[in-house]
Amino acid sequence: MSQSASLARRVFSGSGQISVANGLARLVSLLCFPLLSRWLGPAPYGVYSLAATMVGLASTVGLLGLDMAYARYYLEAESPDQPAVEAFCWTRAAAAAAFCAVLATLLWLGLSQRFAVLERISVAAFLPAAIVLSVLATMATTRVRLQARYGRMAAAVAAAAVASALVSLLLAAAGLRGVLPLLLGALSTSALSLLWLGLPPLAGQRDAARRLSPTQRRELMKLGLSCAVTGPLYWLISSSDRWFLALNRSEADLGIYSIASTLALMGIMVNTAVHLALFPEASRLVTASSSDETVRLARLWEQLAVVLLVVMLLVGSLGAPLLRLLTAPSFHGGTAYIPWLACGAFFYGLAGLGNLPFFLAGKMNRVAVLWGFTAGLCLILNSLLIPRFGGLGAAVAQMLTYLSLSLMTLTAGRSLMALPLRWGRLSLVLLLALAGLAGVVCLPIPNPWLALLVNLAASLLLGLALAWLISPDALDRMLLQVRRVCRP
């Protein structure tokens, strides 16, 4: 098998397994909505979304970007140095997570009082454990990625989702109301993921970390801190809309937007799966070979971009009828937000693919600068659109923010690694996808079941056409990859 085919197989196989697991996890979550949305109502979802933003902020800061440094340098290290790289990243991340957990809890107590958030003490008790477990689970995921054990990662995602759903449903069915069923369900997700994926050998971690030279430590921390800057900025871009809504609207409005976002941002799980598989495999390819690999990376990049486009079509067209089918009528106002958020998720994924040249060149500090500009734009858009248009303004602001980020990232990345991408063909495919999504969304079909079937058929046909346009033999390769993934 050629090296190019081997790379494509590993990336599609790994991202496929992770995507399927994430899809099952999201399906389990969706199946809980008909009961939980009626038992709990919109307000607890609003409180939970604020708590989730605090966990996201603290865990990304607590990681210090060391998961990215771990993924970048572990494969490059000589065999005797690999345990030292692992130990250094794990010990520093665990210590930083504990520190950030304390700070985040104190920050929550202050902010929640300012916003008059209900059940603020329950959330404060939840935050420390959730933050530490989230950081450790992320590091465990990175460790399994480096071992190319994508099946184990997929199994952990699916098992954690089932456990989380069962915990939330059982607690709510037992009569517990408010945000606690959601909080405890989320906590079980990280806990089970960590147990399933496992920890590195704990004995001698500190001594192993000391074997790294000062230069090696500086290189790890330099890349890590560059990535760590983008973490809080990502939180600001992806979560600040919740806080603007909390300030300008009710907790019920925030809950409706949160549920719509949960459906609309299903594309993020595919984005994440693609990045989790592509980056270490591309790093492995570049490390193992001195020849120019840009052409094969470019063709793979284009195929992955089309995958993200097809996901955008599916999520943007199916999200509204699914929301009407799965939730109580009080949540149905969120249907208008979904196409905008789905487009935003695609542009976020495109920006992630654009990070590949920076990652391979070890220049993630430049990405941090781009994220800084984008975060400023996000705050401006939120402050202008949310007070006037509420949740719809938040969704449009998300889309415009990620569109700007993707344009800046793709443009700047060309100076580091000019992948020979076929921009004309890619632009045509993108325009056709956006036009197709607009047409499907505007179909006047009042019955949600019929809308679901019609939108699914139209999106799949258009997606196959887009795949054929970007690569005439893409369908054959896709079927071959599916057979290989499913082969026992």
Side-chain angles (χ1 to χ4, degrees):
M1 181 183 295
S2 69
Q3 209 171 21
S4 177
S6 178
L7 172 67
R9 177 181 177 180
R10 290 196 303 270
V11 172
F12 276 100
S13 175
S15 60
Q17 291 178 65
I18 299 168
S19 295
V20 169
N22 282 329
L24 290 174
R26 192 56 60 93
L27 177 62
V28 170
S29 176
L30 294 178
L31 292 176
C32 295
F33 280 164
L35 293 176
L36 288 178
S37 66
R38 286 167 172 78
W39 286 342
L40 303 181
Y45 281 97
V47 175
Y48 173 72
S49 70
L50 294 180
T53 64
M54 295 300 299
V55 174
L57 173 61
S59 59
T60 52
V61 173
L63 276 169
L64 296 177
L66 289 168
D67 58 325
M68 293 290 286
Y70 186 16
R72 181 66 182 91
Y73 286 110
Y74 182 84
L75 294 174
E76 284 190 352
E78 299 292 334
S79 294
D81 290 336
Q82 287 183 343
V85 170
E86 183 173 73
F88 179 85
C89 294
W90 273 84
T91 53
R92 298 308 188 273
F99 178 74
C100 289
V102 174
L103 289 183
T105 303
L106 295 175
L107 179 62
W108 166 261
L109 289 172
L111 287 176
S112 59
Q113 185 174 16
R114 166 68 178 82
F115 286 85
V117 177
L118 300 175
E119 301 183 81
R120 54 191 293 267
I121 302 302
S122 298
V123 175
F126 155 82
L127 286 176
I131 291 165
V132 173
L133 286 173
S134 176
V135 169
L136 294 180
T138 301
M139 294 298 293
T141 299
T142 304
R143 180 169 177 262
V144 174
R145 286 166 54 201
L146 294 173
Q147 298 168 349
R149 299 165 68 187
Y150 299 114
R152 187 178 183 87
M153 189 191 314
V157 170
V162 172
S164 175
L166 287 175
V167 169
S168 297
L169 282 173
L170 290 174
L171 291 175
L176 186 62
R177 294 293 179 261
V179 76
L180 274 177
L182 302 176
L183 296 179
L184 295 176
L187 201 60
S188 65
T189 300
S190 297
L192 185 58
S193 295
L194 183 59
L195 289 173
W196 194 287
L197 296 173
L199 298 167
L202 298 179
Q205 284 279 304
R206 181 174 297 181
D207 292 337
R210 289 173 178 169
R211 292 204 302 267
L212 290 179
S213 67
T215 300
Q216 291 173 311
R217 295 184 184 195
R218 282 196 298 271
E219 288 297 319
L220 283 166
M221 291 303 300
K222 181 180 177 182
L223 177 59
L225 290 174
S226 298
C227 298
V229 172
T230 63
L233 293 176
Y234 171 72
W235 176 89
L236 183 64
I237 294 171
S238 63
S239 302
S240 60
D241 51 357
R242 270 76 165 175
W243 292 92
F244 274 93
L245 280 169
L247 185 62
N248 291 278
R249 303 293 171 116
S250 67
E251 289 179 353
D253 291 328
L254 177 57
I256 294 169
Y257 179 79
S258 175
I259 293 299
S261 298
T262 299
L263 286 169
L265 299 182
M266 288 175 68
I268 295 292
M269 67 185 186
V270 179
N271 298 344
T272 302
V274 166
H275 301 157
L276 286 175
L278 174 63
F279 279 42
E281 295 298 340
S283 179
R284 198 190 315 273
L285 177 68
V286 171
T287 301
S289 176
S290 59
S291 62
D292 184 8
E293 307 292 351
T294 55
V295 173
R296 70 181 63 173
L297 283 177
R299 299 291 83 80
L300 178 60
W301 196 102
E302 291 171 354
Q303 295 167 33
L304 294 174
V306 172
V307 169
L308 299 183
L309 262 180
V310 173
V311 172
M312 179 197 75
L313 281 171
L314 291 171
V315 173
S317 62
L318 302 182
L322 277 175
L323 184 67
R324 291 159 59 194
L325 287 170
L326 294 173
T327 62
S330 57
F331 288 87
H332 292 179
T335 54
Y337 314 154
I338 290 177
W340 298 99
L341 290 169
C343 290
F346 164 74
F347 289 122
Y348 167 72
L350 198 62
L353 290 178
N355 286 342
L356 184 61
F358 300 95
F359 177 77
L360 294 176
K363 301 290 185 181
M364 292 298 290
N365 57 315
R366 301 187 185 182
V367 176
V369 175
L370 299 179
W371 277 78
F373 283 116
T374 307
L377 174 63
C378 177
L379 290 176
I380 293 172
L381 290 172
N382 282 336
S383 63
L384 292 175
L385 297 178
I386 291 178
R388 183 173 181 182
F389 300 105
L392 182 60
V396 173
Q398 284 277 295
M399 189 276 293
L400 293 175
T401 298
Y402 286 126
L403 171 61
S404 302
L405 178 63
S406 64
L407 291 174
M408 289 190 293
T409 303
L410 293 172
T411 302
R414 292 174 60 83
S415 64
L416 294 176
M417 179 183 289
L419 293 175
L421 299 171
R422 296 169 292 184
W423 290 106
R425 190 174 299 188
L426 285 170
S427 300
L428 174 63
V429 167
L430 174 59
L431 291 175
L432 289 174
L434 292 175
L437 177 60
V440 170
V441 168
C442 292
L443 290 175
I445 305 176
N447 185 288
W449 283 109
L450 181 60
L452 193 66
L453 294 175
V454 171
N455 292 358
L456 176 61
S459 299
L460 287 176
L461 288 174
L462 180 56
L464 291 174
L466 297 178
W468 182 84
L469 281 174
I470 202 66
S471 180
D473 60 343
L475 296 181
D476 292 336
R477 288 204 304 272
M478 181 179 66
L479 292 175
L480 177 62
Q481 293 298 331
V482 168
R483 286 196 296 267
R484 284 173 174 168
V485 170
C486 299
R487 182 182 301 165

